[in-house]
Structure formats: structure tokens, C-alpha cells
Amino acid sequence: DGGITQSPKYLFRKEGQNVTLSCEQNLNHDAMYWYRQDPGQGLRLIYYSQIVNDFQKGDIAEGYSVSREKKESFPLTVTSAQKNPTAFYLCASSNKGVSHTEAFFGQGTRLTVV
Amino acid sequence: KQEVTQIPAALSVPEGENLVLNCSFTDSAIYNLQWFRQDPGKGLTSLLLIQSSQREQTSGRLNASLDKSSGRSTLYIAASQPGDSATYLCAVRGTSGSRLTFGEGTQLTVNP
């Protein structure tokens, strides 16, 4: 089945650790996105990428890093510089072009600092 | 900067009622608007996508309208069911095409 796969579903991080969240898509989409969702709030954009080997900061990029070495993969690293990383992280993808197609989301990764 | 607002924040209705969820946005220069559903602890499921040149889209019991000039969209749900209980999010894609901006959602509860 075509779609977006995020792993792991749950992740626990100790203080001072870096952790990496995986996002893989087989929809052949050009653009991929990472969002953060906090309880009772909307989604906030962390990073996005419209093409391989290129990515841009979103609204809350501090303390996060990404890479886009392959079209189908867009991993997010939560670094120790992110002071409040506990949240629900969502990855999305879409095609880009004049009309822009639907965005599709993965099932999310819940990160908890312990 | 685009801002998206959804009203109401929460809504509780009896089963069978027709209902309307509202979404407004500040910058009318958009490519499209998308409505999503989110169940607790889950990702987002796309419900409807309206391109900027369209006025409405329908899927089953759902109908979404778009008035780009006034910066408004509505999601109409007919004959609501308990299974419709979820958070509904709208998002707009600006003409730069590079990002979706989300509202904070409307939490819908349909009571049997």
C-alpha cells in the first residue's frame, strides 16, 4: 500500500540525548514536511523539503535537524538543544507543482523526555 | 504571515444532527485548502481538498465550501454519527506552495 510510515510510534529520550525520528514515503512525492503538535494546539512546521538535498526551516526549527538524501526519506533529529521536546511529531508529504496535490500524513511519533 | 482560525473550538451535538465547522484565513493568496480529521493519538486523515479555483467539494456526507475572497471555508457534515467524533483541522497552502498553515482544530463529539 502507498503511504507514509513513521517510526517508532513511541520514543523516550533521556536528558541530553539526540534522537532520530524516521519518515519514509512510497508515494513518489517531491515535498516532505515535519510538524510538531502539542496538546490542544494546532500543528507547527519544523522543517520542510521540496527536493532531494535541499530543505528549509519552518517556524520552530531551533533544536532540530533534518536531512534529505533520498526522495523517499526525511528523518528528523531532535537534538539536546531542544529544551522542550515532549510532543507528538507528524511527517507529511505532497507533490509540488502549479496546483499542488493533497498532503498525506503518517501516524505520528510520540516523543517523551524521561 | 498567514493565520488560520477555526470556530468553534469544541462542539457537542446529538446523533443525526447536521452541523457546520468554520475555518477562516487572513491571506487569500492560496493554492488550496484541505480539511483533515484526527482521531486521538493518531495522524491526520485527509477528508477534502479544494483548489483555489473551486467553490466546493463533496465526499459522502461531507461538503466543504471555499470563499477565497472573504477568506472562509466551511465543512458541512450531514446526519452526524458517533463515529464522526474527532478533531477536524483545516489547512491552507499559500501561493509560494511551500507550506501548509493549520488552524487549531474543532473537537467534535457526536452523542448517541
Side-chain angles (χ1 to χ4, degrees):
Chain A
D1 283 3
I4 301 176
T5 302
Q6 289 187 241
S7 62
K9 188 173 181 179
Y10 298 98
L11 187 57
F12 298 91
R13 192 193 94 167
K14 294 181 180 179
E15 295 283 350
Q17 264 187 342
N18 293 352
V19 292
T20 298
L21 284 60
S22 171
C23 178
E24 304 274 334
Q25 55 99 0
N26 60 4
L27 300 167
N28 199 34
H29 283 168
D30 297 303
M32 296 186 74
Y33 311 82
W34 275 106
Y35 289 88
R36 169 179 172 143
Q37 187 176 36
D38 293 283
Q41 297 189 29
L43 277 68
R44 293 183 290 169
L45 183 64
I46 305 172
Y47 268 98
Y48 62 100
S49 168
Q50 298 191 80
I51 195 169
V52 173
N53 292 323
D54 188 47
F55 47 84
Q56 288 78 40
K57 293 182 179 180
D59 299 319
I60 56 165
E62 185 175 352
Y64 300 97
S65 66
V66 293
S67 63
R68 186 86 187 276
E69 297 177 0
K70 298 185 296 182
K71 186 176 185 178
E72 58 270 24
S73 179
F74 191 40
L76 173 73
T77 296
V78 184
T79 75
S80 57
Q82 171 49 241
K83 297 306 178 188
N84 185 23
T86 295
F88 191 49
Y89 290 86
L90 288 158
C91 178
S93 73
S94 67
N95 262 335
K96 68 185 189 75
V98 175
S99 62
H100 291 270
T101 60
E102 281 181 281
F104 293 92
F105 279 77
Q107 286 300 299
T109 293
R110 185 165 301 281
L111 174 62
T112 304
V113 174
V114 296
Chain B
K1 180 183 174 183
Q2 179 74 269
E3 293 182 2
V4 180
T5 303
Q6 291 188 245
I7 294 173
L11 182 63
S12 181
V13 300
E15 181 177 4
E17 191 162 300
N18 302 328
L19 58 100
V20 174
L21 308 180
N22 297 292
C23 172
S24 62
F25 48 95
T26 55
D27 186 352
S28 61
I30 65 169
Y31 266 137
N32 57 45
L33 183 145
Q34 197 167 350
W35 282 94
F36 295 89
R37 168 188 173 134
Q38 185 177 31
D39 293 290
K42 304 293 186 182
L44 276 63
T45 300
S46 179
L47 297 174
L48 290 164
L49 172 73
I50 310 178
Q51 300 293 352
S52 61
S53 58
Q54 298 175 319
R55 297 284 294 183
E56 65 179 279
Q57 282 284 346
T58 298
S59 176
R61 295 182 294 107
L62 305 179
N63 176 277
S65 68
L66 174 64
D67 184 343
K68 196 175 70 166
S69 61
S70 68
R72 294 182 182 184
S73 177
T74 61
L75 179 67
Y76 175 83
I77 302 177
S80 58
Q81 303 171 357
D84 295 331
S85 298
T87 297
Y88 291 80
L89 295 148
C90 74
V92 297
R93 188 183 297 278
T95 51
S96 68
S98 57
R99 61 171 66 192
L100 282 171
T101 302
F102 282 82
E104 294 190 0
T106 293
Q107 185 174 359
L108 173 65
T109 302
V110 181
N111 301 300

